[in-house]
Amino acid sequence: MQSKRIDPLLKRAQDHEDEVARDLAERQRVLDTHLSRLDELRRYAEEYANAQMAATSPAQLLNRRAFLDRLDTAVAQQRQTVDSNREKVEAERARLILASRDKAVLEQLAASYRAQEKVLVDRRDQREMDDLGARRSRLARAEDTDSGDTP
């Protein structure tokens, strides 16, 4: 039966879809972590930039400016990391869509095979019922003929 032969392919397709879904979930978790870090860095940089400093010397102002520049650089790098991770999430999402589509095609094929097999089984059953009815009819006619010959 063709439907039985396609079952291992369906299992592989389901396993592949599950694996891709797990990969997507992991990529999404990593993206969420990087987004959280970016938000923390932005908040810290904003708080530090807005903090009032009492009586500062030129050296302290230079240090403060250098630290703010490093914070800006860290925010920019984290933003690039987030963008990169977003691209990875989108790639995984596309892989999941393809895996789901492949599985759906195999499921439709299996359903089609099962429907064809059911039609064949129904036809065979109907043929057997017709043959059985015909045999009974012949047997009944033969009995009527036998009983009509004997007085």
Side-chain angles (χ1 to χ4, degrees):
M1 294 186 128
Q2 289 178 322
S3 65
K4 295 294 179 197
R5 286 187 285 187
I6 205 164
D7 285 345
L9 293 175
L10 268 172
K11 171 126 177 55
R12 273 189 77 203
Q14 181 64 53
D15 292 346
H16 179 65
E17 183 184 31
D18 292 346
E19 178 186 338
V20 173
R22 282 189 300 273
D23 291 347
L24 174 59
E26 176 60 21
R27 293 275 187 205
Q28 186 64 52
R29 186 192 64 72
V30 169
L31 174 60
D32 292 344
T33 300
H34 286 295
L35 278 168
S36 176
R37 286 181 189 159
L38 178 59
D39 287 342
E40 289 173 12
L41 271 172
R42 283 179 176 160
R43 268 195 311 275
Y44 182 72
E46 187 178 316
E47 287 172 10
Y48 191 82
N50 293 333
Q52 297 296 322
M53 292 191 61
T56 56
S57 69
Q60 288 175 324
L61 287 174
L62 283 175
N63 284 341
R64 180 179 169 82
R65 184 70 251 156
F67 186 68
L68 284 171
D69 289 344
R70 284 196 301 271
L71 279 176
D72 288 344
T73 301
V75 167
Q77 287 174 344
Q78 189 64 27
R79 192 176 306 117
Q80 287 176 345
T81 301
V82 165
D83 291 343
S84 170
N85 278 280
R86 270 198 185 109
E87 290 173 9
K88 291 175 184 176
V89 165
E90 289 307 313
E92 287 299 321
R93 191 169 283 124
R95 280 185 60 214
L96 180 59
I97 289 169
L98 289 175
S100 296
R101 208 175 286 155
D102 290 347
K103 185 186 80 165
V105 166
L106 287 174
E107 285 173 340
Q108 288 175 344
L109 185 60
S112 172
Y113 285 160
R114 286 186 187 101
Q116 289 173 1
E117 290 164 0
K118 183 181 180 335
V119 166
L120 291 174
V121 166
D122 289 348
R123 284 181 186 164
R124 186 183 66 227
D125 290 347
Q126 185 61 48
R127 213 174 316 125
E128 288 174 5
M129 294 300 287
D130 291 347
D131 289 347
L132 181 62
R135 271 189 256 134
R136 284 185 180 165
S137 176
R138 279 192 303 266
L139 186 59
R141 266 188 270 128
E143 286 177 3
D144 285 345
T145 308
D146 287 344
S147 62
D149 287 341
T150 18

